[in-house]
Amino acid sequence: CACFFTDNIFVGRFGLHVRYRDGPQLRRDHGRALRERGCRSEEQFRAVLREIEAEVQRRKQLIHESAERRAIISKCYTPKHPEVYTLQDSFLAPEFLEIVRFCTSPGADLQGLLSYLESFSDKRIYRLPVFTEEFCRAFVDELENFEQSDMPKGRPNTMNNYGVLLNELGMDEPFLTPLRERFLRPITALLYPELGGACLDSHKAFVVKYSLHEDLDLSSHYDNAEVTLNVSLGKEFTEGNLYFGDFSQDPSPVPRYIEVEHVGGRGLLHRGGQIHGALPIASGERWNLIVWMRSSAIRNQLCPMCRRKPELVEAEGFGDGFTEPPAEEEPQTVNLCAL
């Protein structure tokens, strides 16, 4: 089986979700799904179920382990380039700032925005300049300094074995939240209105690393996000293009794939549900910044992974981008005695 359902969780290929079911209910709900995916004997079924239940327990602990790592890093790690932890306009390419100015101007529309962007086929994939070369060099140097330290390190997901979770470096509030709110949201509002592009209210951000003796490529997958930004930070490398297939909800019998080349400092915006992957690099080393942007207004209605109405449990921080609906206000009463 390529991936297994455990209520609102995809194991193996995709991200952690919102609610977990244990015991007999899990066995009843997913026995049929596992059999449909190739499990025939009782022995196969029990082995796979043990693996799924172990993965559920592991993922339940991830948020607590991440908080522990962040506390240690905050206390003990000395950054080499502390300035890169707080977003500054000087980090952003002048062309990117011009795009944002257009998107926030009166009368801005999609057709006008598209004149600033590179578009790829009909898959709604767009490339645009994001960061300056100077920032990319300093940021990668900082990431390498962290990698060489003895600090605890959480990896981005089950598919990327090398990289950094940026919230553990304390970059969410000073860097990533303003990047999403001030600069990216005006762009995504025009590009992806039906995906909540105007109300992307949380994110998960991480950096991935590819090199010849570590991760070479990334298998076909889709993201736990409404919209994804993927920025090539460097360094020197050859090959390793991204490839894009169908949208996850609209598969075709014969998928059409396109390849898109990485360009240093430039980012690719695409729908999180766009099936994609990374081809192997042939030489060198590549670092990419990935920002999964999420809209609670969209995913509160339907989980983008399992396509069900989510059943929520409390989580620290942004969690997986879901929010509880606001409680109904108590009806106002009037104190007649006071009147």
Side-chain angles (χ1 to χ4, degrees), residues 166-273:
L166 295 181
N167 69 308
E168 294 185 3
L169 288 181
M171 294 189 71
D172 265 348
E173 291 308 312
F175 191 104
L176 293 156
T177 294
L179 178 65
R180 168 174 52 81
E181 292 182 347
R182 290 179 51 206
F183 298 102
L184 292 171
R185 201 157 57 189
I187 300 172
T188 59
L190 293 176
L191 293 178
Y192 307 107
E194 82 288 0
L195 296 175
C199 51
L200 297 172
D201 52 2
S202 69
H203 61 263
K204 176 180 178 180
F206 50 93
V207 173
V208 294
K209 177 188 175 186
Y210 300 92
S211 69
L212 291 182
H213 302 294
E214 298 175 338
D215 286 340
L216 284 174
D217 56 10
L218 186 61
S219 300
S220 182
H221 66 285
Y222 61 93
D223 300 336
N224 183 2
E226 275 63 70
V227 181
T228 295
L229 174 69
N230 182 334
V231 184
S232 177
L233 301 172
K235 303 163 64 174
E236 296 295 327
F237 60 90
T238 57
E239 302 298 334
N241 290 349
L242 289 176
Y243 63 89
F244 292 88
D246 293 334
F247 190 66
S248 60
Q249 299 305 312
D250 303 304
S252 60
V254 182
R256 295 183 300 111
Y257 288 91
I258 63 168
E259 285 188 33
V260 180
E261 183 181 2
H262 285 288
V263 179
R266 292 180 176 262
L268 290 167
L269 279 169
H270 63 84
R271 295 173 293 176

Side-chain angles (χ1 to χ4, degrees), residues 5 23 37 45 47 61 65 80 94 113 125 141 144 153 184 201 220 237 240 250 275 283-284 305 310 326 333-334:
F5 294 87
R37 286 162 174 77
F45 176 78
Q61 297 302 314
E65 294 169 356
K80 183 176 181 179
L113 172 58
I125 303 162
D141 195 37
E144 289 179 324
K153 301 171 181 70
L184 292 171
D201 52 2
S220 182
F237 60 90
D250 303 304
I275 296 172
S283 66
M305 299 273 92
T333 60
V334 177

Side-chain angles (χ1 to χ4, degrees), residues 44-61:
Q44 285 178 319
F45 176 78
R46 285 197 299 268
V48 171
L49 192 60
R50 283 195 299 270
E51 182 181 347
I52 292 175
E53 290 175 330
E55 180 68 6
V56 167
Q57 295 306 315
R58 184 188 74 83
R59 293 187 179 212
K60 283 183 176 181
Q61 297 302 314

Side-chain angles (χ1 to χ4, degrees), residues 334-339:
V334 177
N335 186 332
L336 295 177
C337 295
L339 290 176

Side-chain angles (χ1 to χ4, degrees), residues 17-141:
H17 301 295
V18 289
R19 186 176 184 274
Y20 309 94
R21 225 174 256 168
D22 301 304
Q25 183 65 45
L26 182 148
R27 293 174 182 270
R28 285 197 300 272
D29 287 354
H30 307 299
R32 180 178 66 257
L34 291 172
R35 281 190 289 273
E36 290 172 353
R37 286 162 174 77
C39 293
R40 294 291 179 262
S41 70
E42 184 64 22
E43 182 180 353
Q44 285 178 319
F45 176 78
R46 285 197 299 268
V48 171
L49 192 60
R50 283 195 299 270
E51 182 181 347
I52 292 175
E53 290 175 330
E55 180 68 6
V56 167
Q57 295 306 315
R58 184 188 74 83
R59 293 187 179 212
K60 283 183 176 181
Q61 297 302 314
L62 287 179
I63 192 165
H64 306 295
E65 294 169 356
S66 181
E68 291 173 0
R69 287 192 297 268
R70 178 174 179 177
I72 294 171
I73 293 166
S74 176
K75 181 179 179 180
C76 303
Y77 175 63
T78 302
K80 183 176 181 179
H81 297 281
E83 70 279 2
V84 303
Y85 286 73
T86 301
L87 183 64
Q88 302 175 36
D89 286 8
S90 60
F91 297 165
L92 303 170
E95 302 93 331
F96 179 70
L97 294 172
E98 177 60 29
I99 292 171
V100 176
R101 277 194 290 271
F102 169 78
C103 291
T104 54
S105 65
D109 60 8
L110 176 60
Q111 289 306 312
L113 172 58
L114 292 180
S115 67
Y116 290 91
L117 309 177
E118 294 180 75
S119 301
F120 296 93
S121 76
D122 59 349
K123 297 182 184 294
R124 301 174 69 189
I125 303 162
Y126 307 100
R127 183 160 61 198
L128 70 167
V130 179
F131 296 121
T132 65
E133 291 183 11
E134 294 77 13
F135 170 77
C136 290
R137 282 195 296 269
F139 191 29
V140 170
D141 195 37

